[in-house]
Amino acid sequence: MAVALVAGLATLGTAGIAHADATLDKIKQRGKLVVGVDGASPPFGLLDPATGKVGGFQTDLGADIAKRLGVTLETVPVTASTRVQFLQAGKVDLLIANIQWTQERSEILSYAPTPYNLVGGAAMVSKKSGIKRWEDLKGKVACVSQGSNFAKPLQDTYGAVVKGLRNIPESLLALKGGSCDASVHIQPALYETLHGPSAGQWNDFELATQDQLIPSPTVIWTRRNEADTRALVDGVIRDWLTTGLLVQAAERYGVPADYLKQATARAHAGQFDSAPPEANAKP
């Protein structure tokens, strides 16, 4: 099935889409694929100062899907508080962002089951904080993005006082300003903060532990009841793994690629990882 699906992608720009679901029909009619991405969030999204547009890892993945469909790509920056609404309202066709699978999300959205990454949380803290383990956050204020899947384990498992902010930059400013004890977000983004071009601003901070919080599959999200879109995207992701495109894109932008290399090796043996099954729709 997967081989047939990938082989059939070249025809989807013509007659195949005529009988596809609403999303694919709309993409064909307007000649454009609209993808929600994280925006300027290194290493996944990089802002081009000359154009004011965001490119990078997520945009490249969206561009590849658009190319296969024979249409142009438009990216729309999304945040934790807007991304689900943008997808449900039809403002974007897909979400290619750092949105990991959770049971709650799978009750309101659909997704391609083959992950394109596996990402967990990290805690950025002051070097003077004494926080060296997740357990050390008990009673401490942990800042997260609104809607983050890290909020529940931080509170329920580790006893942290969770404070939701709009995005990672606000969380980091709160950490630097002393209004939170830890800034908890996806590990690659915080690693980039500490080692990327702005690293000099964060010399007094570090990752509390190398143990990632609830590593979870990162999937491409679609609307509910759009099986053709879901199947098409899943076939593309499998092709990315089989051809090594995901590893190449990750290395181009400095995205940690350990998991992707392992998943690519498994793909060469005909084995693909899968996110948990889609949950029943939430009433």
Side-chain angles (χ1 to χ4, degrees):
M1 284 291 289
V3 173
L5 177 60
V6 173
L9 287 174
T11 66
L12 282 169
T14 56
I17 296 183
H19 305 288
D21 59 38
T23 291
L24 292 180
D25 276 334
K26 184 165 69 171
I27 292 168
K28 180 190 176 185
Q29 289 165 6
R30 69 181 176 218
K32 181 169 61 178
L33 171 69
V34 184
V35 174
V37 298
D38 278 324
S41 180
F44 299 99
L46 307 174
L47 181 66
D48 183 344
T51 64
K53 295 183 178 180
V54 173
F57 180 69
Q58 295 171 353
T59 297
D60 278 14
L61 299 185
D64 185 74
I65 297 176
K67 180 180 178 181
R68 292 168 188 255
L69 289 169
V71 299
T72 60
L73 173 71
E74 177 183 330
T75 58
V76 175
V78 296
T79 65
S81 60
T82 65
R83 56 200 185 190
V84 172
Q85 294 92 322
F86 276 23
L87 182 58
Q88 290 179 322
K91 293 182 178 181
V92 299
D93 302 314
L94 303 171
L95 289 174
I96 306 180
N98 278 301
I99 313 175
Q100 283 70 49
W101 180 94
T102 67
Q103 177 73 19
E104 294 78 13
R105 289 171 184 154
S106 78
E107 292 171 356
I108 58 175
L109 299 175
S110 188
Y111 50 92
T114 305
Y116 75 93
N117 209 345
L118 184 76
V119 174
M124 188 164 158
V125 300
S126 166
K127 291 179 178 178
K128 299 178 181 179
S129 68
I131 299 172
K132 300 297 181 184
R133 306 174 304 155
W134 291 105
E135 290 81 0
D136 295 334
L137 288 174
K138 184 174 182 179
K140 304 288 180 63
V141 178
C143 289
V144 301
S145 296
Q146 293 170 353
S148 171
N149 58 316
F150 301 136
K152 185 175 176 60
L154 283 169
Q155 180 176 302
D156 295 353
T157 304
Y158 297 109
V161 178
V162 176
K163 182 177 182 179
L165 298 174
R166 286 191 301 176
N167 50 42
I168 295 177
E170 282 196 9
S171 175
L172 292 175
L173 285 175
L175 174 65
K176 186 174 279 190
S179 59
C180 60
D181 300 294
S183 182
V184 181
H185 301 280
I186 56 170
Q187 190 270 352
L190 294 184
Y191 184 90
E192 171 72 12
T193 299
L194 291 170
H195 297 88
S198 301
Q201 303 175 29
W202 301 96
N203 289 331
D204 296 330
F205 296 85
E206 63 184 359
L207 296 186
T209 173
Q210 294 302 310
D211 294 333
Q212 293 192 38
L213 183 65
I214 57 166
S216 304
T218 307
V219 295
I220 295 180
W221 296 87
T222 70
R223 282 181 284 278
R224 279 267 173 174
N225 302 317
E226 302 230 322
D228 295 329
T229 302
R230 181 176 184 264
L232 182 147
V233 173
D234 197 61
V236 172
I237 296 169
R238 289 186 172 215
D239 192 47
W240 289 343
L241 288 165
T242 303
T243 61
L245 184 147
L246 271 174
V247 171
Q248 294 166 16
E251 292 181 337
R252 185 180 309 127
Y253 294 108
V255 174
D258 288 349
Y259 166 77
L260 295 177
K261 290 177 181 178
Q262 295 166 9
T264 295
R266 289 191 290 272
H268 289 160
Q271 302 170 357
F272 296 91
D273 294 344
S274 180
E278 194 170 286
N280 292 329
K282 189 174 182 179

